[in-house]
Structures are given as structure tokens and as C-alpha cells.
Amino acid sequence: MTPTSASVQDIRDAAALLASAGDVTILGHVRPDADALGSALALGRALRQRGARVRVSFGEPDEAPETLRWLDEDGLLTHPDALPDSEELLVCVDTPTPKRLGRLAGRVELAGAVLVIDHHATNTRYGTCHVVDESAEASAVLVFRVLEELGAELDEPIARGLYAGIVTDTSGFRRASPETHRMATRLLEAGADPEAIVRRIVDERPFAWLPMLSAVLGEARLEPEAAQGRGFVYAVVPVEAARTVRGEEVESVIDVVRSVREAAVAAVLKQDPAHPRQWQISLRSTGIDVSAVAAQFGGGGHRQAAGCTIAGSVAEVVAGLREVLERAPLL
């Protein structure tokens, strides 16, 4: 079943489940972004304030991105090896399939109950309770609604985490609805500092980012006739280019490549240090459903932003993407 929108009853059911929980593990997807981690930490803090034992974790890497660690006001982040054998309640945030939990995917089957809070169109509804809404711009929007139903008080750390998720997943509110703008107003009133959040998560980069970006963009390629004539631009980040920067700097390359006006689809191929013939692919689009493209390779995401992992040489990976783009649904 493809999700469309979360009902009022979905929100109520989720809040009731959380209200009765005394021990909770909250998981985000591998390589968590601001929406996954900000939402998880905000929800975790609210539950902890209600007296629950709470842990927040993710499958990889071993530590949270440096740009996001400061969101953990309460020390909720827990290494996967320190998690209990199973949970009475497992909450999966911003994670459309168990596969996206990485090495923690097996915990879904072991948990007593599984609450899924997510806004991906590719969500497979793998839990026992779901708040899944494709129309929500961020999972943080859905967590906000659940916390509101729960009667949780918005304080600065909770507002900070939710605002981080919303501002990043809406591209700085460029894709935010009036309702989400009103939600952001409430987060600001609760103490979220928009300048500090955006600066620390989005704007600040180490100097090493500049030579890395220069090397990668210097080899970028534009194929104007690809992607059904709408244009395809891609860049490759080999291990050598990424050695001097953090993972978040590598992830940011797609935001530069996607700005090319001659291409409706942008891709960045990031080489896996442990498996040189394996590439993590970031896809962005203004005219083609890239979630459908990613799904062809076992990945997923949103219609305009998705990802997957493909094995092969650069030429083979690009050829595979090019072929699938030619038959992908248009937006």
C-alpha cells in the first residue's frame, strides 16, 4: 500500500502508544540527516520528560555527523552495540524500509511494537502502528503533530531538533506549506534559533571542503539529451577526493550539482571506502520521479530526492542510471 496521508486517528494511535511506553528505542536511517536525527532526538527528549527510558541510535556510521551532535541535549545517542537485545517499543523515524536501518534492521522483528513515523512515498508500512504521510515535507512535521497530540511541551531543545529537520528537508522553506510555516513559527516561539541552526548544519564548511569540491566539480559531466531530453548532470566523489573531509561535506556535493539549470536530474556517485566498486548514489530532480529510479536499484526516497547503492565501474553505474531515467515516470 502506497501511503498518502496520515489520518487524525493515526496520530492519536501513535500518541496513545507512546504515552503508555516506559522503555523506548528510537532509530533513524543509516547516515542520518537533520530530519532523521533531529526528529528522533526531539521525540526522545519529550518521552524522557514523561519518565520513559529512551535511547536514540542508527546503524551507521558509529558516530553522528559532527554538524548534528549538538542537537543531542540529553545524551540520548546510543551506539548500536549498547542497545538492549530487544525493545517493548521500537520507533523508526524517517525510515521507509527496514533495509534503511542497516545493521539494526533485525530489531524490527524482535520488538514488541513498532511505530513508524515517516514521510517517504516508498514507505512499506513495516510496523505495527504507522504515521506515514507522503505529503508531509519532513518527518519532523509528523513528529510535531504526534507530540502535540501527546500534550508534550515544546522547549528549546525539542524545537531545535524539529526546526532542523524542517528547514533542511524543505530546502530552507522553499517547499514548505502555509501550515508548516505556522508550525515553524511555534518552534521559533519555543526558542529555536534559526540563524544558529542553519549556520551550524548547512552553511559552515571546513576549508578542506573547497579543494575537494573543486576536484569533484572539475570532472562533472552534463548530458543534455539524457533523462528523456530533460538533461542529466552527474559528479563522482572517489575515495581519494573525500579523504580530507567529513561525510557531511561529501553529502553536500549534490546540493551544488543540482543547481545546473540545463539538467532536470542530478546525481552524485560517492565511492564506498570499504568496497571500491560500490557507489552510494544521491539523486535530485525537478522533472522525473527519482524515487522510482532509485527503487530499480533497491533504494528509495522522494520523487524529487532519492538514493540507492549500485555496484560496478563509474561507466557501468552511469549507464545503468541513464537507462532507467529514460523510462522513469515524469513529474
Side-chain angles (χ1 to χ4, degrees), residues 88-114:
E88 66 176 58
L89 175 59
L90 181 70
V91 182
C92 301
V93 177
D94 201 43
T95 305
T97 68
K99 182 179 179 180
R100 287 286 287 149
L101 294 171
R103 57 177 157 164
L104 300 180
R107 305 188 74 84
V108 171
E109 293 185 359
L110 298 175
V114 179

Side-chain angles (χ1 to χ4, degrees), residues 148-282:
E148 190 173 46
E149 180 66 27
L150 194 60
E153 180 182 352
L154 288 177
D155 60 12
E156 188 277 328
I158 291 175
R160 182 200 315 164
L162 296 177
Y163 190 92
I166 293 172
V167 72
T168 52
D169 262 32
T170 59
S171 299
F173 290 95
R174 289 192 289 273
R175 294 180 290 103
S177 68
E179 178 189 359
T180 301
H181 277 279
R182 288 189 288 269
M183 191 177 293
T185 297
R186 291 184 58 187
L187 297 176
L188 297 182
E189 291 171 345
D193 183 340
E195 191 279 331
I197 292 170
V198 174
R199 173 172 48 80
R200 296 186 69 168
I201 295 177
V202 179
D203 292 344
E204 289 185 345
R205 301 292 176 195
F207 179 79
W209 181 68
L210 295 179
M212 181 278 291
L213 192 63
S214 175
V216 169
L217 296 184
E219 299 296 322
R221 295 291 179 265
L222 172 66
E223 299 182 0
E225 302 306 316
Q228 303 177 53
R230 287 164 173 77
F232 174 46
V233 61
Y234 65 90
V236 178
V237 185
V239 169
E240 293 76 14
R243 288 193 193 281
T244 60
V245 297
R246 306 169 300 182
E248 43 263 63
E249 271 71 65
V250 176
E251 294 297 327
S252 74
V253 174
I254 188 62
D255 294 320
V256 181
V257 177
R258 71 187 298 185
S259 65
V260 173
R261 70 173 61 174
E262 296 94 339
V265 179
V268 172
L269 287 62
K270 297 158 288 186
Q271 191 174 30
D272 187 328
H275 305 91
R277 281 181 56 81
Q278 190 159 289
W279 302 85
Q280 295 167 6
I281 316 298
S282 293

Side-chain angles (χ1 to χ4, degrees), residues 70-103:
W70 68 293
L71 298 176
D72 186 16
E73 184 81 7
D74 302 289
L76 298 177
L77 288 174
T78 306
H79 190 279
D81 293 343
L83 294 174
D85 292 337
S86 63
E87 294 87 10
E88 66 176 58
L89 175 59
L90 181 70
V91 182
C92 301
V93 177
D94 201 43
T95 305
T97 68
K99 182 179 179 180
R100 287 286 287 149
L101 294 171
R103 57 177 157 164

